[in-house]
Amino acid sequence: MRKEAVGRRTVVHGQDDPRVVALRRAVSRLHRELAGYRAQLADRRIAEDELAAVDAELRAGAPEVARLRHSLLLIAGAVGSVSALAEALAEVRKAVELFGAPSP
C-alpha cells in the first residue's frame, strides 16, 4: 500500500513497514503495562485514549508524523513521571522517532 497526501506528510507505504511494526509493538507493550499499573494515575484515560488513537492510525495505514508526535507528547505527559512505565514509554518514543520529523 502506498499512500500520498497533499499538504501533510504521510509515511506508511505498507503494513510491512518496519517502523509501523515497531510502533505497534511499542504501543501494545505500553498499553499492557499501563493496564497492569494499578496505582492511581490522574491522566490514565488520556494515555489510554492516545494509545488507542495511535493504534487506529497505524491500522488505517497512514499515520501522520505530526499526529504521532502530538500523541507522544500527550502520552508522555500522562505517564512520564511513573518510573514503572518509563521503559515502555521510551520504546514508544524511539518508535515514533523512526518516522522522522514532521514536514514544515
Side-chain angles (χ1 to χ4, degrees), residues 26-84:
V27 164
S28 178
R29 176 184 175 194
L30 181 55
H31 189 264
R32 280 191 318 273
E33 290 189 20
L34 181 60
Y37 185 74
R38 294 296 169 201
Q40 180 77 3
L41 187 58
D43 293 329
R44 177 185 300 268
R45 188 64 168 170
I46 292 169
E48 290 171 342
D49 289 349
E50 284 305 312
L51 288 168
V54 170
D55 186 58
E57 226 178 293
L58 293 171
R59 289 181 191 280
E64 296 175 37
V65 176
R67 176 71 177 114
L68 292 177
R69 289 185 172 275
H70 179 74
S71 290
L72 176 61
L73 286 174
L74 291 173
I75 294 165
V79 303
S81 64
V82 179
S83 61

Side-chain angles (χ1 to χ4, degrees), residues 3-6 8-13 19 61-65 103:
K3 190 149 185 164
E4 300 296 329
V6 177
R8 65 179 192 219
R9 182 175 172 202
T10 55
V11 294
V12 175
H13 297 111
R19 298 170 301 175
E64 296 175 37
V65 176
S103 296

